[in-house]
């Protein structure tokens, strides 16, 4: 993606049980003295693509006074765990050693530079089952209502402006009483309150852990067990690279509960419609991962196949396919294979580019120059089919196109997007907060359908290219390999899987000038 579209977040969990419940293998043999912490840090590094703002772990060790202990900070996984400082890195792993632990990488839209927003969150209590740590991936669409519900109670106070703290308070309320509650019932109680995406990993002072996937399955979650070691991760690649062999995918509404004696799978919410975020396959997930047994790489490749199949601009001996690195490579490869024209990396990603401190009108162009290296000797005079995985705001794409013309000296640029136009915000964990900030909605003021030729021509003119084409809306599910009714397509078809999502979208329309000027105040 030419623009960085951000996402909340990734979760991980590991547990070393007393008895082996599956054949030994690479994953279990990597655990030394029952300490899972080095592997937990490695899992977070494998999922760095899902959040680079903060990282943290919480571990359980009954041999220390601080039975549950949390370590977290802002920064990438390598920065937080000081991996370039050998002594400090080893000290962190030793100080937070344990037989069980949970971890998190974060991107967030609030409190970005405040370590208090880093996860896991920890709640201390004298009762061991009320002392817990947790982390979650997603967003509660009804966060404002839940916050008001808490604040309406006598002498209740909320410290942070985010839904993670709200989940912590609701968990604490569900654990009230003199008897240790069943964790599946705790999640059942929360499911009746929450609207949105909420994959949770949790560990308490008794050494009990659970991992759960929300009832719609909006975000991915998988698990595996090998020997005495049980692992949970947002992405299959994180488990695969630890050496786990047989990886399973949580069903929506399913909870896995584990302690030193073993584990069990239960259902905390009844089966209802499923609404997996299609963007996981299009952009967010690592291309080497599988989500619900559907390959991310192959899904993206099929998107490229479809774009080539629908192509209406003739190819010639001067045509080449160029991906916008890195997540569009799979789609570009699929396009080039289907079109039988050369695939060329005329753009290279600068992996060493730091933050941009240039201010004013040159900021975006400088960011593009520092982020992408253009190879004129490959591009000069070529008719390029520039494949990107999506266009969200278009600002970076426009700057990139300008550079391709000025530096690459290409003859034509035809943008091919392996996703339908993004038309609406996401209320379940993707950084798409308003309609106005998006590129495409003004070209679709009414009913959602594939864009007309007039709309495509106008979009191409706006971003400065010879043509632009998008993946057809009705081909998305086919490319992923799942029925359309099991996917959340809210940001491309304006239909949301939860009541709160629908209400938030209608509210967003009321505040969007482009829709009001078009005379449209409600999308049906």
């Amino acid at each position: 993606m030419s623009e960085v579209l951000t996402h909340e977040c990734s979760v991980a969990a590991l547990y070393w049980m007393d008895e082996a419940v599956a054949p030994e293998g690479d994953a279990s043999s990597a655990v030394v003295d029952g300490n899972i912490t080095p592997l937990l840090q490695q899992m977070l590094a494998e999922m760095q693509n899902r959040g680079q703002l903060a990282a943290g772990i919480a571990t359980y060790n009954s041999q220390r006074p601080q039975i549950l202990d949390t370590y977290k900070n802002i920064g990438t996984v390598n920065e937080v765990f000081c991996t370039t400082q050998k002594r400090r890195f080893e000290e962190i792993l030793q100080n937070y050693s344990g037989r069980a632990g949970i971890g998190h990488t974060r991107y967030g839209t609030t409190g970005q530079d405040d370590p208090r927003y880093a996860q896991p969150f920890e709640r201390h209590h004298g009762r061991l089952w009320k002392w817990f740590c947790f982390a979650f991936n997603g967003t509660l669409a009804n966060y404002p209502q839940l916050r008001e519900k808490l604040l309406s109670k006598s002498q209740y106070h909320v410290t942070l402006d985010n839904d993670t703290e709200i989940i912590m308070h609701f968990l604490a309320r569900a654990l009230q009483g003199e008897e240790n509650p069943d964790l599946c019932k705790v999640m059942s109680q929360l499911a009746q309150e929450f609207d949105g995406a909420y994959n949770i990993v949790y560990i308490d002072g008794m050494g009990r852990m659970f991992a759960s996937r929300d009832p719609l399955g909006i975000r991915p979650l998988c698990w595996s067990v090998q020997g005495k070691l049980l692992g949970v991760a947002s992405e299959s690649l994180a488990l695969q690279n630890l050496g786990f062999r047989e990886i399973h995918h949580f069903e929506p509404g399913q909870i896995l509960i584990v302690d030193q004696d073993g584990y069990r799978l239960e259902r905390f919410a009844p089966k209802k419609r499923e609404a997996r975020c299609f963007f996981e396959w299009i952009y967010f997930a690592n291309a080497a991962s599988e989500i619900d047994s559907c390959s991310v790489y192959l899904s993206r490749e099929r998107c490229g196949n479809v774009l080539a199949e629908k192509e209406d601009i003739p190819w010639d001996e001067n045509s080449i396919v160029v991906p916008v690195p890195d997540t569009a490579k799979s789609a570009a490869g699929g396009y080039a294979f289907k079109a039988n024209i050369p695939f060329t990396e005329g753009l290279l990603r600068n992996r060493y580019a730091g933050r941009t401190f240039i201010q004013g009108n040159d900021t975006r162009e400088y960011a593009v120059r520092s982020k992408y290296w253009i190879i004129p000797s490959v591009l000069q005079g070529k008719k390029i089919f520039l494949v990107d995985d999506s266009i969200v705001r278009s600002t970076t794409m426009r700057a990139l196109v300008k550079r391709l013309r000025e530096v690459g000296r290409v003859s034509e640029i035809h943008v091919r997007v392996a996703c339908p136009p993004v038309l609406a915000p996401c209320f379940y964990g993707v950084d798409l907060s308003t309609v106005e900030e998006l590129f495409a909605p003004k070209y679709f003021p009414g009913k959602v359908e594939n864009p007309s030729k007039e709309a495509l021509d106008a979009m191409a003119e706006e971003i400065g290219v010879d043509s632009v084409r998008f993946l057809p809306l009705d081909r998305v599910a086919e490319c992923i390999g799942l029925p359309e009714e099991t996917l959340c397509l809210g940001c491309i078809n304006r239909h949301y899987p939860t009541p709160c999502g629908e209400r938030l979208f209608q509210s967003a329309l009321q505040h969007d000038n482009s829709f009001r000027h078009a005379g449209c105040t409600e999308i049906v």
Side-chain angles (χ1 to χ4, degrees):
M1 176 179 284
S2 55
E3 296 165 303
V4 176
L5 188 60
T6 42
H7 173 282
E8 304 179 33
C9 306
S10 75
V11 293
L14 288 171
Y15 205 110
W16 184 254
M17 299 172 286
D18 283 345
E19 301 292 336
V21 295
E24 298 286 346
D26 294 344
S28 53
S29 64
V31 177
V32 179
D33 299 326
N35 178 23
I36 55 81
T37 305
L39 298 186
L40 189 59
Q41 181 272 333
Q42 182 181 330
M43 290 176 73
L44 296 183
E46 299 284 1
M47 297 189 290
Q48 188 73 85
N49 59 295
R50 302 182 71 86
Q52 301 85 44
L53 181 64
I57 60 172
T59 60
Y60 168 80
N61 189 334
S62 62
Q63 304 304 308
R64 66 190 179 207
Q66 188 77 9
I67 296 173
L68 289 180
D69 208 357
T70 303
Y71 176 78
K72 60 183 180 178
N73 209 336
I74 57 174
T76 64
V77 173
N78 285 340
E79 290 169 341
V80 170
F81 286 88
C82 305
T83 58
T84 60
Q85 305 170 43
K86 183 179 179 182
R87 183 174 298 178
R88 176 59 180 150
F89 177 52
E90 292 175 347
E91 182 182 73
I92 293 169
L93 297 184
Q94 181 59 41
N95 290 345
Y96 294 89
S97 65
R99 70 180 300 158
I102 60 174
H104 188 264
T105 64
R106 175 178 185 263
Y107 170 81
T109 55
T110 58
Q112 292 194 12
D113 294 321
D114 190 336
R116 294 179 303 161
Y117 286 83
Q119 297 185 43
F121 274 29
E122 180 174 347
R123 184 182 187 270
H124 284 265
H125 199 283
R127 286 280 179 88
L128 290 180
W129 77 78
K130 297 181 181 181
W131 181 4
F132 65 87
C133 301
F134 82 99
F136 100 108
N137 168 212
T139 292
L140 297 182
N142 63 336
Y143 157 68
Q145 292 80 12
L146 295 173
R147 188 176 189 274
E148 287 305 311
K149 182 175 181 177
L150 287 176
L151 292 177
S152 67
K153 298 181 180 298
S154 176
Q155 298 182 334
Y156 227 99
H157 180 68
V158 176
T159 305
L160 305 176
D161 182 23
N162 74 343
D163 46 5
T164 312
E165 184 180 6
I166 299 301
I167 292 176
M168 182 178 71
H169 289 308
F170 273 86
L171 276 167
R173 292 177 65 211
L175 295 169
Q176 289 176 350
E178 294 299 313
E179 294 185 3
N180 181 9
D182 178 85
L183 292 177
C184 184
K185 292 181 179 178
V186 168
M187 274 307 303
S188 296
Q189 184 175 329
L190 266 59
Q192 296 175 32
E193 302 269 10
F194 293 170
D195 179 307
Y198 51 96
N199 289 352
I200 296 175
V201 290
Y202 166 105
I203 191 167
D204 68 17
M206 296 182 66
R208 299 183 304 169
M209 176 186 288
F210 80 70
S212 62
R213 189 179 187 186
D214 76 73
L216 296 177
I218 296 174
R219 300 284 156 225
L221 195 65
C222 55
W223 65 278
S224 185
V225 61
Q226 198 164 87
K228 297 179 181 180
L229 184 64
L230 182 144
V232 175
S234 292
E235 293 210 19
S236 62
L237 182 67
L239 295 175
Q240 176 185 309
N241 282 357
L242 282 194
F244 284 101
R245 295 173 184 167
E246 191 172 336
I247 298 172
H248 313 275
H249 301 271
F250 279 76
E251 294 181 8
Q254 194 173 52
I255 185 171
L256 185 152
I257 301 171
V258 57
D259 58 27
Q260 60 190 32
D261 296 324
Y263 72 93
R264 67 183 190 275
L265 281 164
E266 297 185 25
R267 177 162 291 282
F268 70 87
K271 284 190 174 183
K272 54 175 74 173
R273 71 154 293 186
E274 297 170 346
R276 302 168 178 89
C277 173
F278 86 98
F279 239 122
E280 290 284 354
W281 285 273
I282 295 292
Y283 173 65
F284 288 124
N286 191 299
S289 286
E290 287 191 354
I291 302 172
D292 295 328
S293 301
C294 295
S295 165
V296 174
Y297 181 91
L298 292 178
S299 297
R300 293 175 185 173
E301 187 178 61
R302 285 191 288 266
C303 291
N305 292 159
V306 171
L307 286 171
E309 173 191 315
K310 304 289 289 184
E311 187 57 72
D312 59 350
I313 301 294
W315 303 302
D316 55 36
E317 68 281 355
N318 206 37
S319 299
I320 60 172
V321 178
V322 177
V324 177
D326 287 316
T327 50
K329 285 183 180 179
S330 308
Y335 183 100
F337 180 81
K338 191 78 171 180
N340 196 27
I341 58 176
F343 172 98
T344 304
E345 291 193 70
L347 285 173
L348 296 179
R349 181 75 173 264
N350 178 7
R351 299 183 182 278
Y352 309 103
R355 294 183 180 180
T356 299
F357 295 99
I358 301 284
Q359 301 296 319
N361 295 330
D362 293 332
T363 302
R364 181 64 58 184
E365 187 171 344
Y366 179 81
V368 168
R369 290 202 306 269
S370 63
K371 184 177 179 181
Y372 298 111
W373 293 326
I374 294 174
I375 310 175
S377 58
V378 170
L379 299 175
Q380 185 174 351
K382 295 294 184 179
K383 176 180 181 178
I384 71 168
F385 289 81
L386 184 67
V387 179
D388 204 353
D389 49 55
S390 54
I391 294 180
V392 179
R393 301 174 183 89
S394 83
T395 49
T396 302
M397 174 59 78
R398 280 179 278 181
L400 179 58
V401 165
K402 182 181 178 184
R403 292 284 294 167
L404 285 169
R405 292 200 187 279
E406 293 177 351
V407 178
R409 298 191 292 277
V410 299
S411 65
E412 297 179 32
I413 303 176
H414 301 276
V415 171
R416 298 298 176 259
V417 187
C419 176
V422 177
L423 303 178
C426 174
F427 306 110
Y428 307 116
V430 181
D431 183 22
L432 296 172
S433 55
T434 68
V435 178
E436 286 183 302
E437 69 183 348
L438 302 176
F439 166 66
K442 59 180 172 289
Y443 298 103
F444 298 80
K447 183 179 179 182
V448 175
E449 54 190 15
N450 290 324
S452 65
K453 184 181 185 304
E454 291 74 21
L456 290 171
D457 290 345
M459 285 188 272
E461 182 178 359
E462 181 173 342
I463 60 177
V465 296
D466 296 276
S467 73
V468 61
R469 302 288 185 268
F470 296 86
L471 183 74
L473 180 62
D474 58 5
R475 304 292 294 273
V476 172
E478 169 195 332
C479 291
I480 291 171
L482 291 170
E484 183 172 323
E485 61 270 17
T486 69
L487 298 172
C488 176
L489 304 170
C491 62
I492 57 174
N493 70 2
R494 297 174 177 152
H495 293 293
Y496 294 87
T498 71
C500 195
E502 289 286 356
R503 288 195 298 271
L504 286 171
F505 179 57
Q506 296 302 329
S507 176
L509 292 182
Q510 301 300 321
H511 295 88
D512 178 66
N513 290 327
S514 62
F515 273 85
R516 286 203 302 274
H517 292 162
C520 179
T521 57
E522 184 172 8
I523 300 294
V524 295

